[in-house]
Amino acid sequence: MDQRGFFRPPNAWVGDVIPWEEDGRFHLFYLHESRQVPRIGMPWHRVVTDDLVTFVETGPALPSGGPDAADFNVYTGSVVVDGGIHHVFYTGQNPERIGADGLPLQVVLHATSDDGMRTWVRHPDDTFGATPGYETADWRDPFVFRDDEAGVWRMLVTARHADGPERRRGVIAQCVSHDLRTWEAAEPFWDPRRYIAHECPEVFEWNGWWYLVYSEFSESFTTRYRVSRSLHGPWQVPENDTIDGRAYYAAKSAARDGRRFFFGWISSREGGRDDGAWQWAGTLSVLEAEQNADGSLRFHPPLELSAGFGERLDSAASGTVLSAPDGYADLVLPTDLPAAFRVDAVFDIAPGTTECGLLLRASADGDEAYVLRLEPRRNRLVFDRWPRRRTGGEQWQISGDVPHVIELERPVTLAPGPHRLEVVVDGDLCVATVDGSVTLSTRLYDRTDGRVGAFVGEGTATVLSLEITGPSTTAVPAASLDDALVSS
């Protein structure tokens, strides 16, 4: 794909990402989803990037084990290095192999590389399934890390208790090892009895704080995190514990030069339509995390992505006042925009204002558009669109009782005063950020062109700045990735 700062392989989609940083380069292993029917077995592919903007696919990394193998589907796992040898631990699943609970068995498998992750050797004798007390069909996403204080390797595993309420059996199970070959069951790492499952778990330490990250699909479909002063908890729930909204999933992280980046996927929608059902897998998207004093995190796209937009396309006059004490007012800029652009807007929101925000790919009169709406009275950002879905031909048969796209709502503090709303649109992708701390990612399918506007509803908002830029005409140098292509 041509999108800069995002990645999707030709004729396929990016599933869960397994990030690994080494010598300044990010190696992003990912589940390569072809959506072929009949299924052909899930492999890992690898993408590399130095700048978080240019991604180079190096091809298959860990192929399907074949139709008869335990790892017909190669699902999520993790990478570690020990003594110069790279190890991957990953999930294997074969629909033809049924566990004790009557569902397709999931097992943990092991492979190693001694040539810099170019080739991998499987170790089938190291394979193991769920330990006693857990469902055999949910034993996946092994995350391995070194606990130097205890002198052991720890493995976190997405699991479910064998008994208990059906939707609250989720647990992060734990195994320990001294040699990365033999694993013993240990006490659960985290057992809240709250979710169906905690997918793609990871833990890391950052400036004296420990973080537990996981993705859940119970009440919400999202990636969450917890924070603690100790690897062993107790784990605290931050005020806003989600990384993004419904469309961004299975995010896992890697660090470089004191910065930490999360690599997840923006889900596609069935049929490439705004009303299509969300699908598993989509397009790789990167978010950067920053720390607050209390250990909580704020999220935004990497600065490298924003820096790639430098060609001025349009702007609004600074100080433009949009005022409608008991109504609606908007300003639509005159330029029809290309497929990729960035909006950087600052609104000074007056006390008592109900809503304000941006119109994307708007009609000339602003009546039809995608809408990013800041709602100070509810302290949230929502994604909306007009026209909404129609259920019939009558004027009243429109989804006016749906306040916004329900899954796309983000909590954010919106006290009176200035607030910054940054948006990157590239083709059907959209990533919005409020005040450099709260992100909302989604898809824009049905409207492929149009203008940008600003609006206010029941109140006053002063547009302190509104700048629209396009991708820089200067190409990003790719020479630093040449050796990755040669070595693939």
Side-chain angles (χ1 to χ4, degrees):
M1 301 294 285
D2 294 332
Q3 294 159 317
R4 289 176 50 189
F6 305 95
F7 172 79
R8 204 198 101 189
N11 304 312
W13 289 262
V14 174
D16 302 351
V17 180
I18 300 92
W20 177 254
E21 188 277 335
E22 189 168 305
D23 297 329
R25 171 165 295 167
F26 291 104
H27 301 259
L28 308 176
F29 299 93
Y30 71 93
L31 277 55
H32 185 271
E33 173 60 279
S34 66
R35 296 181 181 164
Q36 292 189 37
V37 179
R39 307 296 288 179
I40 60 172
M42 178 77 71
W44 280 15
H45 279 217
R46 180 171 60 131
V47 165
V48 296
T49 182
D50 292 338
D51 60 10
L52 301 167
V53 174
T54 304
F55 297 90
V56 173
E57 164 81 69
T58 68
L62 200 61
S64 164
D68 299 323
D71 56 352
F72 171 69
N73 290 313
V74 179
Y75 287 152
T76 309
S78 58
V79 181
V80 296
V81 64
D82 184 47
I85 303 296
H86 290 87
H87 299 251
V88 295
F89 296 87
Y90 64 98
T91 309
Q93 190 252 25
N94 189 323
E96 302 302 319
R97 295 195 177 197
I98 304 302
D101 41 21
L103 298 172
L105 189 68
Q106 291 186 344
V107 292
V108 170
L109 296 100
H110 180 210
T112 57
S113 173
D114 61 4
D115 61 3
M117 300 182 288
R118 288 188 292 274
T119 61
W120 297 91
V121 176
R122 286 170 159 93
H123 302 285
D125 291 344
D126 296 346
T127 302
F128 68 99
T131 55
Y134 298 120
E135 294 181 356
T136 61
D138 282 275
W139 188 254
R140 62 183 179 276
D141 307 343
F143 178 78
V144 176
F145 66 101
R146 180 69 180 174
D147 181 352
D148 290 324
E149 183 176 342
V152 298
W153 294 93
R154 297 189 183 274
M155 177 188 290
L156 311 187
V157 186
T158 295
R160 280 171 49 84
H161 290 291
D163 53 28
E166 180 66 23
R167 68 182 177 91
R168 294 197 295 272
R169 294 185 191 176
V171 57
I172 298 179
Q174 181 178 203
C175 298
V176 296
S177 175
H178 293 279
D179 60 4
L180 292 173
R181 302 296 296 267
T182 303
W183 294 89
E184 299 177 356
E187 70 284 351
F189 185 82
W190 192 51
D191 192 9
R193 296 282 182 160
R194 175 168 170 77
Y195 301 115
I196 293 173
H198 319 96
E199 296 195 301
C200 304
E202 70 162 326
V203 294
F204 59 87
E205 187 274 337
W206 191 14
N207 296 331
W209 292 95
W210 283 91
Y211 295 87
L212 167 62
V213 181
Y214 62 95
S215 293
E216 64 105 348
F217 52 92
S218 301
E219 288 81 1
S220 301
F221 195 93
T222 192
T223 302
R224 300 185 184 273
Y225 75 98
R226 298 290 183 264
V227 62
S228 176
R229 282 296 192 181
S230 167
L231 170 62
H232 307 290
W235 296 99
Q236 304 169 18
V237 184
E239 182 176 357
N240 180 6
D241 70 335
T242 53
I243 291 177
D244 202 309
R246 166 62 178 85
Y248 189 75
Y249 195 68
K252 298 180 73 171
S253 72
R256 184 177 70 183
D257 300 330
R259 301 166 68 189
R260 182 160 289 270
F261 303 93
F262 282 77
F263 303 85
W265 42 267
I266 299 176
S267 177
S268 57
R269 282 186 178 269
E270 188 173 333
R273 298 177 295 107
D274 288 342
D275 289 329
W278 294 110
Q279 296 176 300
W280 187 88
T283 302
L284 169 68
S285 179
V286 187
L287 296 178
E288 182 172 359
E290 294 190 59
Q291 271 184 325
N292 297 314
D294 63 356
S296 62
L297 301 176
R298 53 192 187 274
F299 295 92
H300 56 78
L303 300 179
E304 290 84 347
L305 177 59
S306 299
F309 290 83
E311 182 183 353
R312 184 182 177 279
L313 300 177
D314 209 340
S315 64
S318 177
T320 299
V321 177
L322 298 174
S323 185
D326 189 24
Y328 177 90
D330 65 15
L331 165 69
V332 179
L333 298 177
T335 303
D336 290 315
L337 297 175
F341 59 90
R342 177 175 179 267
V343 185
D344 190 348
V346 179
F347 296 93
D348 189 352
I349 305 175
T353 298
T354 296
E355 63 184 38
C356 66
L358 291 172
L359 307 175
L360 304 176
R361 292 182 174 164
S363 58
D365 62 2
D367 198 42
E368 296 186 0
Y370 295 110
V371 183
L372 287 167
R373 189 167 62 239
L374 299 169
E375 299 183 348
R377 294 186 179 185
R378 295 182 174 90
N379 281 317
R380 69 183 182 185
L381 165 71
V382 301
F383 178 79
D384 204 348
R385 62 180 175 133
W386 198 269
R388 294 183 182 148
R389 180 184 300 185
R390 299 191 70 96
T391 58
E394 301 298 332
Q395 187 177 35
W396 53 269
Q397 288 177 314
I398 193 167
S399 298
D401 57 343
V402 178
H404 55 275
V405 181
I406 301 299
E407 308 104 332
L408 299 177
E409 174 184 347
R410 300 288 289 139
V412 59
T413 301
L414 294 171
H419 293 279
R420 187 179 186 185
L421 181 53
E422 302 169 83
V423 187
V424 172
V425 172
D426 198 342
D428 56 23
L429 301 172
C430 175
V431 181
T433 308
V434 181
D435 293 336
S437 61
V438 175
T439 59
L440 175 62
S441 301
T442 189
R443 294 277 182 172
L444 312 178
Y445 283 117
D446 294 352
R447 299 189 63 83
T448 58
D449 53 34
R451 306 176 181 185
V452 163
F455 71 93
V456 68
E458 299 170 354
T460 299
T462 301
V463 181
L464 300 181
S465 65
L466 199 169
E467 298 284 341
I468 308 171
T469 52
S472 300
T473 55
T474 302
V476 176
S480 61
L481 297 179
D482 287 347
D483 59 330
L485 293 170
V486 170
S487 64
S488 61

